[in-house]
Amino acid sequence: MIITFELNGAPASARVMAPVSLLDVLRDQLGLPGSKNVCEQGECGSCSVILDDEVVCSCLVMAGDIEGSTVVTVEGLGEGLNPVQEALHRAGAVQCGFCTPGIVVTATDLFTKRPRPDDDEIKEALAGNICRCTGYGAIVRALRGLAEVER
Amino acid sequence: MKVHHPTTLDEALAAVEAGAVPLAGGTDLMVEVNFGHIRPDHVVGLRRIGELSSWEDRRIGAMVTWRTVETKGPKAYAEAARTVGSPQIRNAGTIGGNLGTASPAGDGHPFLAAVDAGVELVSRRGRRVLAWSDFFTGVKRTARQPEELITAVVLPERLPMRHAFGKVGVRNAMVIATVCAVVTRDEDGATTAAFGSVAPTPIRAPRAEEMISAEPKPTESALAEFQRLVSEEVQPITDHRSTEAYRRHAAGVLARRLLERCLR
Ligand SMILES: Cc1cc2nc3c(=O)[nH]c(=O)nc-3n(C[C@H](O)[C@H](O)[C@H](O)COP(=O)(O)OP(=O)(O)OC[C@H]3O[C@@H](n4cnc5c(N)ncnc54)[C@H](O)[C@@H]3O)c2cc1C
Ligand code: FES
Ligand code: FES
């Protein structure tokens, strides 16, 4: 079946022949490899996207069920670096970088909804994003700095 | 592959009757798909049915997410919601999906058991509300018939004055419970204690409840007896997550701490 939805601000469609995930469709059919495939069981957050205004794991979204929905991936967060990406970059908060797209999506959603999060809110928002390089210190420092600028 | 996207309950029920697998947030179902355990080719997505996402007073629609329960649920239910998975999981995962899976470790179940909530099931033939204890029938087994959808959780008219949820697991975020529990205490001392992960279904501890309900101001020794009875009454097994002995111990300690929280 053909599924139509809004992807990064533009109309998109995908052919769905099996109960595959939105993550697979994004990466394999729609040429958007920014969302990473790591665990496929909702544990790591590397595949985070914004679906109808909420951050979810795209590996757990059935592609056939997103008819009419709005999806924003890391590729759709704007031209160039957004403030979250800028902050992570400046703080050296990227090691191997595999978790980074998921962290960028999750943190961008956090700052959109709460422009001045405190440390607890930052850590809570990122509880579902695992960094295997354990670079949490620099990630939290970067976002704390951004929250302070916003203040 | 056929996926229905109904906007009304009637359309969804017709699809279910024709054999479509219900899909809520997908946080249980898609894990099974990704692991290759199941491969449903006829699915009905429930996300667009307004009636299922509404929360009116005591009736909480099956498609209400853990994120919503976390922000506006009764205290112990909100505390339970806050421990479900991660923000991503709580944004997608629903209370109806938790009941559909009926895992013994489901964090939503102890609250429903502790306050004697009902589960509303609807098919094209009619609507029925089952007591929680009739709904759960075994490990991942429920009284839901194949042509039925879970449409809501129905809370009692009045909730006990105090209630608290607690969960024991190996870490704070993203953890499946070794034991989870809700204890409630009313003005007149009436106490309930319900547990997850210590039996095939969520269970209550009636002897412990009866004993402590008769204590208007529980003493140290009454609390110790409550803890002992809980450890005795739960029916845990040893599995990859924990041992029977540890679960018995943890259930007793957890119940006592939750009761102490209610008494404060
Ligand atoms: C990383 C991760 C962490 C998790 N952590 C926790 C945790 O801490 N605590 C916890 O309790 N759970 C946890 N879960 C499990 C899961 O998130 C919950 O059980 C959630 O409530 C499932 O809801 P869902 O809407 O995603 O269900 P789905 O996956 O959409 O559905 C689950 C099952 O119920 C059926 N179903 C769904 N809705 C209905 C309906 N209305 N009527 C009839 N059948 C229906 C489906 O067919 C399916 O069999 C976790 C899952 C993941 C992936
Ligand atoms: S790949 Fe989706 S959460 Fe890990
Ligand atoms: S930078 Fe390597 S996983 Fe986070």
Side-chain angles (χ1 to χ4, degrees), chain A residues 93-100 103 130-135 139:
Chain A
V94 179
Q95 293 183 56
C96 79
F98 219 72
C99 69
T100 308
I103 299 229
I130 292 180
C131 174
R132 290 165 306 166
C133 303
T134 68
I139 293 167

Side-chain angles (χ1 to χ4, degrees), chain A residues 1 17-19 21 40-43 48 52 54-55 57 59-60 62 64-67 69 106 124-125 128-129, chain B residues 1-3 5 23 25-27 29-31 33-35 39-40 45 47-48 82 86-91 174:
Chain A
M1 59 190 291
M17 308 303 283
S21 67
E40 295 198 289
Q41 50 178 307
E43 294 276 351
S48 296
D52 294 333
E54 303 283 359
V55 181
C57 299
C59 68
L60 300 184
M62 194 183 282
D65 192 39
I66 61 162
E67 177 68 38
S69 290
T106 306
E124 178 54 37
N129 291 82
Chain B
M1 174 83 188
K2 170 85 189 145
V3 183
H5 310 115
L23 171 68
T27 62
L29 190 97
M30 283 302 287
V31 172
V33 170
N34 291 345
F35 280 7
R39 197 181 163 81
R47 293 201 289 130
R48 299 161 187 81
R82 200 177 168 290
S86 62
Q88 284 90 330
I89 300 297
R90 298 197 284 280
N91 282 339
M174 290 274 235

